[in-house]
Amino acid sequence: MRARPVFLMPGRSSHSDAPPTAFPLPSRAGILAWAALCCIAAAPLARAQTPPAAGYLDPSRAIAHPRPVGSFHQPLPEQYIWTANDAAVLSSNASALIRRTDSKIDRHYFRASFDLAAPPKRATLYLAGPRSARVFLNGRLAADLRWEGGHHMVFHTLSADVHGLLLPGKNVIAIEAVRGWGNHHHTNSLRTAQVNSGEVLVVKIVPSAPGVNAAPLMTSSSAWTSTLHPQDGWQQTSFDASAWQPVQSLGSIEGDIDFFQWNADAGLYDWPGYLGEAPYLANYQMAALHAIALDDPSAALSHLAALVRSSPRADAHRRFTASTQPPPASGLPAPGILLDFGQEASGRVLFESASDRPAHVTLQYGESLGELQHAPYLGVNPLLVPPRGLARGPKSGFRYALIRFLPGSGPVAFSKISLEGIYHPVHYLGSFASSDERLNRIWETSAYTAHLCMQDSIWDGVKRDRGRWMGDMEVIDRVVADVFGDLHLANDAMAQLIGPAPVKDHVDGLPGYSAFWIVGEAEYVRRSGDIAQLRSMHARLLQLLSVMDREMDSSNLYAAASGKKPFVDWSQGFASDTPQARAAMQFEYLYAFRQAASLLHMLGDHPAASHWSARADQLSAAAQQHLLSPSTNTFGDRWQTNAMAILSGAANDQQQSAIWRSVLARANGPHQPQDVITPYYGDYMLMAMARSGHRREALDWMRSYWGGMLDEGATSFWEAYDPSWPKTDPHAFLQADGKIGYNASLAHGWSSGPAAWLMEEILGIQPSAPGFSKARIRPDLAGLQWAKGAVPTPHGLIHVDARPSGATIDLPAGVDAEVLLPSAGASQHVLANGTEIASTSVEDGSRLRVDLPRAGHYVLRVH
């Protein structure tokens, strides 16, 4: 049993040998239950923002968790193996071979031997990776296993009872396998790409019944051998395999957090002993907010209230029981239950059996009721709950779960069917509160969205893609730093995303994400002060800049010269190579080149800094010459392009005013058809509004846009949104990744930007030197009556309580702050703790600047 900290629930995964089924649609009785849940599901959303146990949206906030030190558990011993020197990722045509499931499906042959003192009474073989495999034990066919694939699972756990085929002494296992189904995502790790391609095999035999974990009798390892061209009799015990080559081993299936990305390990949920979590993650358990019985004409389900967190005292000690006898009429679906956990979560459903017999169930998830019923992202997953044991469903992001209890030998009881949340155990150090409760809910939801994405690494979302995307990370990292003060995940992810030197390709394969890697690196250094990390990136930074510069033409315009997709946003015209996308990319590159020059100056590489500063000037001049519309003095009519023109410094003061009047002001007025933006680029639009002096209008748009998601039932912020999209089953109409519908994520970290924006632009707390050695505090109530909160720094928390008359500031030691307070003119002055201090009129007389060179509690008032 793995050692876990006291606040975790110990346990194991379980095995399932029940076949996959089609999506089970409710019967007429079930439809009535669906309708009932649909009616009640929206109503609890407001209450779900503050669950009774926690008092916060984020359930982990109720846990007084210690900061984890070291590893909670050792990774499983079984290893991913494959035929040496054969993986598609090692070839020059890797992308095509991985993505096409009808290519490179030759048969691979594996052998190994192991010794047993005596055969066990029970033994189960587990195998995953291939789509099909024939397994021989001691020359006899032990299993002919197949996985048809689908629903974002590259491979699945396959199993067979093999207790009668094992011998005392030497045993030989021989396997013929065909690679799994490719599900490739761009990654700089060849090992991760290989797992995603399905070119792996993992095997073990345990001395136990199906679903019950035990110390293995044998596992796949580097000691195995393999070939592509076997001779006759290759499966026999007496066969001479000395000519076969040692396999390629990727190490333990839990030995690399990158194996958990991109849903690559989704199908290992019922691999005995598999947790699939980084050692620094933690868990919580939460009962359902609502539970409804589906298709239960014979009262097959009893004590359903025992599964609900607000169970009456009489039900709290009862056991939920499901009859697993065949239904009275053929063709009826198995009885089921629908659980609503009240909010989006990252985790899995945990079953705890209270029966002496196994239970076969199917399980499907949904971030929305529509997804749950029509298109669950991971499909319908069979699961076996062993007698008196634990079983876990797949890891994913979801709010709803539908469970069906398949026909078996009789009733089965459960001590618990609950959500097992998976989270990074950090504390909410930063904070924000204001006189506007709607903004407070937006901040809380934004922070929770970012926390959901702090998993084994910083991921884009917890349903899809569960991987590192630099554009998403640039937004999430700022929120994580401002709310949690946690920078180690960002540090690791930045290194993983750019990859080892020499850098020869774009980050994530996207030119724009190369630009945001540089912007993200600058933000990381500003907040952390980690010059050593920056120094380790020096050579790679220069190499990446060179890769980026090859995209430009002789006129210093972005020309997509490499042929790589210039992705900007999911909005029409920005997700492929179009004039709009190229224009926006021009400003993303300009933004990055200026940030790169700043980083290089920090490193003392002044020649390189001067070069990239000059390149930025050239890109800016080219934009003014070729991209500016003389009639409007704007850079076209799209929000994304003009927002980035402001942030990059390309737009001068007159152009910023024109951009506001002609383009960005439409956010709070009549929209044009092209005014569609994701929450991702919406963050840059908020920043551009602040940069051009329109924070009050930015707050209005935040209330409308992110608040609109709250109005539609969001408990975390979505990958895509437009207020004009249909309101009935809104998840069905989200537009992202070239698709419309449930595939889009309802918990996407790139939508979490408002949390950082409110702290940086309303509280006004920003670093002005690496590591907050210097800070700039410029509170702006933007129409609010008051706002207060704190931002963590390497030196401690900076607290700000802003009021119309001034601000109260708590400054930690090691931070030198300049404070800019609103004033009615240069004739006013500033009192600090009742005593007048020196101040300077700035910003055309609209602000008074004071310097706070040391730690302390300051009550600042303007008179």
Side-chain angles (χ1 to χ4, degrees):
M1 190 169 192
R2 301 177 182 197
R4 306 289 292 266
V6 295
F7 54 93
L8 301 183
M9 170 62 72
R12 292 295 180 270
S13 298
S14 76
H15 157 77
S16 170
D17 56 9
T21 60
F23 298 164
L25 297 178
S27 65
R28 186 173 184 276
I31 289 173
L32 295 177
W34 273 103
L37 186 61
C38 288
C39 290
I40 66 172
L45 285 178
R47 295 199 302 274
Q49 296 291 326
T50 54
Y56 297 102
L57 174 59
D58 189 339
S60 74
R61 295 188 74 171
I63 302 172
H65 47 258
R67 184 68 182 144
V69 178
S71 174
F72 289 158
H73 62 261
Q74 294 299 315
L76 293 173
E78 48 266 32
Q79 299 177 11
Y80 285 129
I81 62 173
W82 198 242
T83 306
N85 303 315
D86 181 73
V89 294
L90 303 177
S91 75
S92 59
N93 194 27
S95 180
L97 290 174
I98 291 171
R99 290 178 181 275
R100 292 178 55 202
T101 59
D102 60 347
S103 64
K104 205 175 185 298
I105 54 173
D106 46 323
R107 299 179 185 277
H108 295 245
Y109 300 84
F110 302 87
R111 279 179 64 97
S113 63
F114 58 98
D115 293 319
L116 293 177
K121 294 181 180 180
R122 300 296 302 270
T124 306
L125 174 139
Y126 297 92
L127 178 148
R131 70 184 71 180
S132 65
R134 290 196 304 153
V135 182
F136 295 85
L137 277 171
N138 300 315
R140 298 170 61 187
L141 181 64
D144 191 348
L145 305 171
R146 297 183 182 277
W147 166 245
E148 297 303 324
H151 302 297
H152 306 281
M153 286 189 181
V154 179
F155 48 78
H156 199 273
T157 300
L158 307 172
S159 65
D161 183 353
V162 297
H163 78 279
L165 301 175
L166 299 175
L167 303 173
K170 181 180 179 180
N171 289 259
V172 174
I173 183 170
I175 299 174
E176 174 192 83
V178 176
R179 60 161 280 207
W181 305 90
N183 185 25
H184 178 63
H185 290 267
H186 188 279
T187 172
N188 287 317
S189 167
L190 293 179
R191 298 165 75 244
T192 307
Q194 186 172 338
V195 175
N196 277 313
S197 76
E199 287 193 296
V200 289
L201 169 70
V202 56
V203 184
K204 74 175 174 180
I205 298 176
V206 297
S208 61
V212 179
N213 190 39
L217 303 174
M218 60 79 61
T219 64
S220 49
S221 72
S222 59
W224 285 44
T225 59
S226 179
T227 186
L228 291 170
H229 307 289
Q231 296 175 325
D232 291 343
W234 63 272
Q235 67 272 58
Q236 298 302 318
T237 305
S238 59
F239 179 76
D240 181 6
S242 60
W244 290 27
Q245 298 299 307
V247 295
Q248 173 203 19
S249 173
L250 301 183
S252 164
I253 60 176
E254 291 186 304
D256 189 330
I257 62 170
D258 281 1
F259 294 161
F260 310 149
Q261 287 193 99
W262 313 113
N263 284 296
D265 70 331
L268 289 181
Y269 65 89
D270 53 355
W271 186 272
Y274 188 80
L275 294 175
E277 299 175 5
Y280 39 77
L281 296 182
N283 304 106
Y284 63 84
Q285 290 185 27
M286 186 168 69
L289 186 64
H290 298 288
I292 284 188
L294 300 177
D295 301 303
D296 184 25
S298 59
L301 309 175
S302 60
H303 306 308
L304 186 60
L307 301 180
V308 178
R309 71 181 71 153
S310 57
S311 300
R313 185 182 299 272
D315 292 314
H317 302 292
R318 301 193 180 206
R319 298 286 186 254
F320 165 71
T321 302
S323 172
T324 59
Q325 300 288 4
S330 61
L332 289 180
I337 57 173
L338 194 153
L339 301 179
D340 172 11
F341 293 100
Q343 63 197 84
E344 179 85 21
S346 173
R348 51 205 164 195
V349 171
L350 174 68
F351 297 79
E352 183 176 336
S353 169
S355 291
D356 294 326
R357 57 171 58 93
H360 289 273
V361 305
T362 62
L363 172 66
Q364 62 203 70
Y365 298 147
E367 294 186 295
S368 65
L369 283 170
E371 181 192 350
L372 181 76
Q373 183 179 15
H374 300 298
Y377 190 76
L378 293 180
V380 179
N381 299 287
L383 183 64
L384 179 135
V385 185
R388 305 287 174 179
L390 299 181
R392 292 177 169 88
K395 300 174 295 180
S396 193
F398 62 97
R399 170 176 171 170
Y400 302 95
L402 192 158
I403 303 162
R404 292 196 179 273
F405 303 91
L406 303 182
S409 58
V412 289
F414 296 87
S415 300
K416 187 177 296 183
I417 301 178
S418 61
L419 165 71
E420 182 180 65
I422 303 172
Y423 73 104
H424 198 284
V426 290
H427 295 280
Y428 280 70
L429 300 176
S431 60
F432 175 85
S434 74
S435 56
D436 188 329
E437 184 56 35
R438 189 172 180 84
L439 292 180
N440 299 342
R441 282 188 62 197
I442 289 171
W443 184 89
E444 181 81 19
T445 308
S446 298
Y448 180 52
T449 303
H451 193 204
L452 285 172
C453 296
M454 294 176 70
Q455 295 287 314
D456 307 282
S457 186
I458 293 181
W459 290 347
D460 60 332
V462 289
K463 181 184 80 173
R464 81 167 209 109
D465 297 312
R466 295 175 70 88
R468 301 185 189 102
W469 287 108
M470 188 60 232
D472 307 60
M473 261 188 54
E474 199 284 314
V475 177
I476 303 169
D477 285 357
R478 285 185 275 116
V479 178
V480 168
D482 287 351
V483 176
F484 306 106
D486 189 278
L487 297 165
H488 84 276
L489 281 183
N491 186 346
D492 177 72
M494 293 297 291
Q496 295 296 330
L497 279 162
I498 196 171
V503 178
K504 297 179 180 180
D505 193 8
H506 287 293
V507 174
D508 287 315
L510 297 174
Y513 281 14
S514 291
F516 279 117
W517 187 93
I518 295 173
V519 174
E521 174 70 8
E523 292 290 352
Y524 170 79
V525 174
R526 288 177 67 220
R527 285 168 168 76
S528 69
D530 190 353
I531 302 299
Q533 184 268 2
L534 175 60
R535 199 170 290 117
S536 73
M537 296 292 178
H538 187 180
R540 284 176 281 178
L541 170 60
L542 293 173
Q543 291 158 4
L544 182 61
L545 285 164
S546 178
V547 170
M548 293 171 61
D549 211 21
R550 291 198 288 268
E551 301 288 354
M552 312 305 292
D553 66 13
S554 59
S555 298
N556 295 314
L557 290 174
Y558 180 86
S562 69
K564 296 292 182 70
K565 179 171 72 173
F567 172 78
V568 175
D569 196 18
W570 290 136
S571 179
Q572 186 175 6
F574 285 116
S576 59
D577 191 0
T578 66
Q580 298 100 314
R582 289 192 180 193
M585 289 291 297
Q586 179 83 9
F587 298 117
E588 289 186 0
Y589 269 42
L590 170 56
Y591 193 16
F593 287 177
R594 292 214 186 280
Q595 296 291 324
S598 175
L599 291 171
L600 291 164
H601 274 304
M602 289 183 200
L603 290 169
D605 188 350
H606 303 301
S610 297
H611 171 78
W612 291 106
S613 180
R615 286 294 288 134
D617 290 342
Q618 291 169 345
L619 266 62
S620 182
Q624 291 285 345
Q625 181 179 353
H626 299 286
L627 302 180
L628 184 68
S629 172
S631 61
T632 62
N633 210 22
T634 67
F635 295 93
D637 63 355
R638 301 297 297 272
W639 286 345
Q640 290 88 335
T641 308
N642 284 279
M644 193 53 63
I646 290 174
L647 293 181
S648 68
N652 59 36
D653 290 345
Q654 293 76 23
Q655 290 162 356
Q656 287 189 29
S657 297
I659 287 171
W660 172 253
R661 290 192 307 272
S662 301
V663 184
L664 299 187
R666 296 200 304 264
N668 295 319
H671 288 188
Q672 295 184 10
Q674 71 269 24
D675 292 339
V676 177
I677 196 168
T678 63
Y680 161 51
Y681 236 81
D683 182 50
Y684 300 114
M685 187 161 157
L686 287 174
M687 293 168 67
M689 288 179 169
R691 183 76 58 86
S692 57
H694 295 281
R695 291 177 184 83
R696 184 187 293 257
E697 294 87 348
L699 281 186
D700 289 340
W701 185 57
M702 184 186 293
R703 294 181 183 101
S704 171
Y705 186 81
W706 279 267
M709 285 184 263
L710 294 179
D711 293 341
E712 297 191 39
T715 61
S716 55
F717 286 132
W718 304 344
E719 179 178 11
Y721 180 65
D722 189 82
S724 68
W725 292 343
K727 306 304 179 188
T728 302
D729 192 10
H731 197 182
F733 298 96
L734 300 192
Q735 301 174 25
D737 202 10
K739 305 178 182 70
I740 297 178
Y742 303 115
N743 186 70
S745 167
L746 296 192
H748 223 69
W750 75 4
S751 66
S752 63
W757 191 93
L758 288 167
M759 302 165 87
E760 295 168 12
E761 299 295 347
I762 300 304
L763 299 181
I765 306 170
Q766 297 189 36
S768 53
F772 274 96
S773 60
K774 294 182 182 295
R776 182 174 186 266
I777 302 174
R778 185 189 184 280
D780 189 339
L781 289 176
L784 297 171
Q785 297 174 18
W786 58 268
K788 63 181 179 180
V791 168
T793 79
H795 309 279
L797 291 173
I798 296 177
H799 289 269
V800 171
D801 185 343
R803 307 284 166 161
S805 60
T808 300
I809 295 173
D810 287 287
L811 205 62
V815 178
D816 181 354
E818 65 167 3
V819 181
L820 292 89
L821 298 171
S823 74
S827 61
Q828 290 195 306
H829 57 272
V830 177
L831 299 179
N833 300 330
T835 302
E836 184 175 343
I837 61 173
S839 61
T840 303
S841 179
V842 295
E843 297 186 21
D844 296 326
S846 64
R847 295 257 163 182
L848 288 174
R849 170 186 163 172
V850 298
D851 293 323
L852 305 180
R854 63 181 65 87
H857 175 78
Y858 298 91
V859 179
L860 304 177
R861 295 292 179 262
V862 178
H863 291 279

